[in-house]
Amino acid sequence: MNGRPTVPVPKGYRVGPWEVRELLASGAFGSVYAARLAGDGGEVADRPAETGERSSPEVGETPAGATDRSPGAGERPAVAGSRPAEEVVGDHGTGPLPRRAALKFLPTGTRTPRQLHHLRELAHREQELLSRLRSPRLIRMYDALTVDDPDHPELDGATVLVLERAEGSMATLLDRSPHPPHGPALLAQVCEGLHQLHHAGWVHGDLKPANVLLMKDGSARLGDFNMAAEMEGTHAYAPAFSTPDYTAPELLWSEVSERGTQIRPTADIWSFGVLAHLVLTGTFPLPGGTTEARCDAAVRYARGTEELRLSPELPTTWREIITDCLARTHEERAAHDAASLLRRVERAAGTSRSARLPRLRPRRRWRPALVGTLAAAALIVATTVVYATREDDQGLTYGYHRCPADSVCFFSEPNGSGEMCSWDEDDTDWLSGPDTCEWTGDQPVKSIFNNSSDDENGLGAVAYFRGRDFTPVGADVTRENARNRTGCTSQRNQGNLAGTYAPLSHRWIARC
């Protein structure tokens, strides 16, 4: 890669357990480097991030070369170190660290105070989203560190996000092949990622080819969430800039408040329409030889004085989809949300139907007299119905969508597949209590989904224990920092466990 990186980091530099390798990408707000675990000689095959265990410090401990000091006043502290494999589902990921990763370095305090405040805000946005959401089509974050190195003032205080390593981006793919034959399938995966984001109440804000990352197996994940924003009612507030060619026309002249630009999910729908046209035809849907000319055309189009000029190469089905995505106004685009768009895109691409995501609604506590009856009915369903899960392009089956809303679900296989047990209240004995989970008597739990929403009593996280009646057994007895429990999962988090634990009880708690 040519050009000077935004954050220069020498090859071989140590950050926590990681050793920096070559530069992968660099933009206005950070630089991404390849990294490997220190002491790992040469290139090796990836080890799945969801399986096995590793030796690691307890929560709050800090490895050499990094600190847990906060990136800025009022921000979420950068967490150095990692949790034991069975305990990490609720925060930065699950299972042991992979041998390879990508380190995203965000600039330091060598900037002006105003620049520094802005960069901290961008870092916080990305860290907040990635620490709260885990979905198959979003890039994973394993950890967040802060560099503590006064001898290198250009790096001292830098926030470093430890991310899943991608092999490239859709931008590099399109540079090599303007009409990739698997473009429609990739667009279906991009749309699935948007659906997962919007369903969780977030807007990406900067969807473009460079932010669609391609994994080793060729599948796509959404990345770079610096501009992402969480919805507050009908709007979210994002930084006052994005990539012009992919920006919805109403945002090109929008007013900017102290909180940023008001943005809605329909802005991502517009960006997807532009992206889809580019992937399928190699051209933009509005005329102009430069970005400025195309932005002017977008403004004229929104005001009714310019028409879309979709390529004649587009098949009818894709033409209809892109036309709807590029509707002139937010109100017209609002009729085509990411969920309905995903079904249409999958049909056009000829890919399998994605799993429905669970509905997110306020938790309700069931009356005691009804718990036994409803639990028994749920058990019958869970043990007799063959659920329709899906196979994604990575060969993984995802079945988390089976978990009822406002419940916690444990699965006998990774990624929410296999047999499932679900509860909406505490259970002191999985094998002989009012709700039973017989398969855990002779095999471990391998994945979990906490599908709870806000509870009137403030209980949203779930802690689980190897013993009955919420008691520690075996190795749990010595785990004082984990309150002698096997593990804990926060609201709306899902992921794989190490696959060696068979809990026998669980209870709802305020937080992990």
Side-chain angles (χ1 to χ4, degrees):
M1 176 176 293
N2 297 324
R4 179 177 174 81
T6 305
V7 184
V9 183
K11 187 173 183 178
Y13 189 81
R14 286 283 302 274
V15 181
W18 300 99
E19 180 181 295
V20 173
R21 308 306 296 170
E22 70 275 9
L23 178 68
L24 296 176
S26 194
F29 306 111
S31 299
V32 181
Y33 291 85
R36 66 186 184 194
L37 286 175
D40 180 8
E43 295 297 326
V44 293
D46 286 342
R47 181 172 53 196
E50 293 83 7
T51 59
E53 295 183 74
R54 65 186 172 90
S55 174
S56 63
E58 292 291 341
V59 179
E61 289 188 358
T62 305
T67 73
D68 62 353
R69 65 182 177 178
S70 170
E75 293 190 322
R76 182 188 183 97
V79 179
S82 303
R83 297 182 175 185
E86 71 273 31
E87 187 82 17
V88 297
V89 175
D91 284 331
H92 299 312
T94 58
L97 293 173
R99 296 187 182 183
R100 298 194 313 156
L103 301 186
K104 183 172 184 177
F105 285 79
L106 298 163
T108 69
T110 57
R111 303 294 182 97
T112 67
R114 183 172 182 177
Q115 289 174 323
L116 180 59
H117 175 79
H118 178 68
L119 292 168
R120 284 172 174 166
E121 180 185 352
L122 296 182
H124 175 73
R125 286 174 180 273
E126 185 158 15
Q127 187 175 341
E128 180 72 10
L129 184 148
L130 289 173
S131 64
R132 289 173 56 183
L133 302 184
R134 281 186 58 79
S135 299
R137 294 297 171 211
L138 308 184
I139 204 74
R140 294 186 180 96
M141 181 174 74
Y142 301 118
D143 212 343
L145 307 171
T146 300
V147 176
D148 184 7
D149 189 355
D151 293 335
H152 292 80
E154 72 282 2
L155 292 175
D156 188 40
T159 297
V160 182
L161 304 183
V162 184
L163 304 171
E164 188 174 17
R165 170 79 180 271
E167 294 300 310
S169 70
M170 184 174 281
T172 56
L173 173 65
L174 294 176
D175 285 343
R176 296 195 306 265
S177 176
H179 302 278
H182 54 299
L186 289 177
L187 289 173
Q189 294 175 13
V190 171
C191 193
E192 185 180 356
L194 278 186
H195 177 35
Q196 291 163 354
L197 269 182
H198 292 182
H199 180 77
W202 287 77
V203 181
H204 188 284
D206 196 22
L207 180 64
K208 58 184 179 181
N211 291 342
V212 176
L213 303 180
L214 304 182
M215 311 311 292
K216 193 171 185 178
D217 62 359
S219 62
R221 298 191 199 277
L222 300 188
D224 200 338
F225 301 104
N226 286 337
M227 309 300 172
E230 189 170 15
M231 294 291 292
E232 302 176 18
T234 60
H235 293 80
Y237 292 88
F241 48 83
S242 56
T243 306
D245 267 322
Y246 302 88
T247 299
E250 66 269 16
L251 298 180
L252 292 173
W253 68 77
S254 62
E255 294 183 4
V256 180
S257 69
E258 291 182 357
R259 300 187 62 192
T261 300
Q262 285 189 343
I263 188 171
R264 293 168 284 203
T266 53
D268 285 343
I269 301 299
W270 172 280
S271 301
F272 179 81
V274 176
L275 178 70
H277 194 277
L278 186 65
V279 169
L280 296 174
T281 70
T283 63
F284 287 98
L286 286 159
T290 65
T291 294
E292 183 178 9
R294 289 189 290 270
C295 286
D296 288 342
V299 172
R300 293 195 302 273
Y301 166 68
R303 292 172 176 169
T305 60
E306 179 75 67
E307 296 296 325
L308 284 178
R309 300 184 186 181
L310 301 186
S311 170
E313 298 178 21
L314 283 174
T316 301
T317 303
W318 279 107
R319 178 178 294 273
E320 293 172 352
I321 291 172
I322 292 173
T323 298
D324 289 340
C325 290
L326 300 180
R328 281 189 168 92
T329 66
H330 151 74
E331 289 75 17
E332 292 175 284
R333 268 175 268 132
H336 311 286
D337 64 8
S340 61
L341 181 62
L342 174 58
R343 305 306 175 201
R344 297 172 64 189
V345 169
E346 287 177 329
R347 287 195 295 271
T351 57
S352 61
R353 184 183 176 99
S354 298
R356 287 186 61 192
L357 297 179
R359 291 181 61 195
L360 302 179
R361 62 174 185 255
R363 162 179 287 279
R364 289 196 293 264
R365 290 293 183 186
W366 299 94
R367 294 193 300 271
L370 296 178
V371 171
T373 302
L374 294 175
L379 179 62
I380 292 172
V381 172
T383 55
T384 60
V385 175
V386 177
Y387 290 96
T389 57
R390 71 175 180 82
E391 295 287 337
D392 80 349
D393 293 334
Q394 296 173 280
L396 300 177
T397 302
Y398 290 93
Y400 292 119
H401 62 289
R402 296 185 282 160
C403 185
D406 305 319
S407 300
V408 58
C409 298
F410 296 86
F411 305 88
S412 64
E413 298 299 331
N415 309 308
S417 58
E419 297 186 76
M420 179 184 79
C421 293
S422 66
W423 289 271
D424 54 29
E425 290 198 339
D426 299 346
D427 197 292
T428 59
D429 187 349
W430 290 14
L431 300 183
S432 59
D435 301 341
T436 58
C437 188
E438 296 180 355
W439 56 265
T440 60
D442 55 14
Q443 59 180 308
V445 169
K446 293 190 177 179
S447 54
I448 180 176
F449 182 20
N450 179 355
N451 193 21
S452 69
S453 301
D454 293 334
D455 173 73
E456 64 271 17
N457 298 316
L459 304 180
V462 63
Y464 32 101
F465 306 81
R466 284 188 178 90
R468 296 175 175 87
D469 298 308
F470 324 123
T471 57
V473 173
D476 291 348
V477 176
T478 63
R479 302 185 65 229
E480 295 181 3
N481 288 348
R483 298 187 180 91
N484 303 124
R485 63 199 182 202
T486 298
C488 183
T489 303
S490 300
Q491 285 178 303
R492 299 177 187 171
N493 274 267
Q494 63 191 33
N496 296 330
L497 304 183
T500 59
Y501 310 104
L504 289 181
S505 61
H506 74 272
R507 66 182 174 193
W508 295 97
I509 61 176
R511 61 184 62 84
C512 290

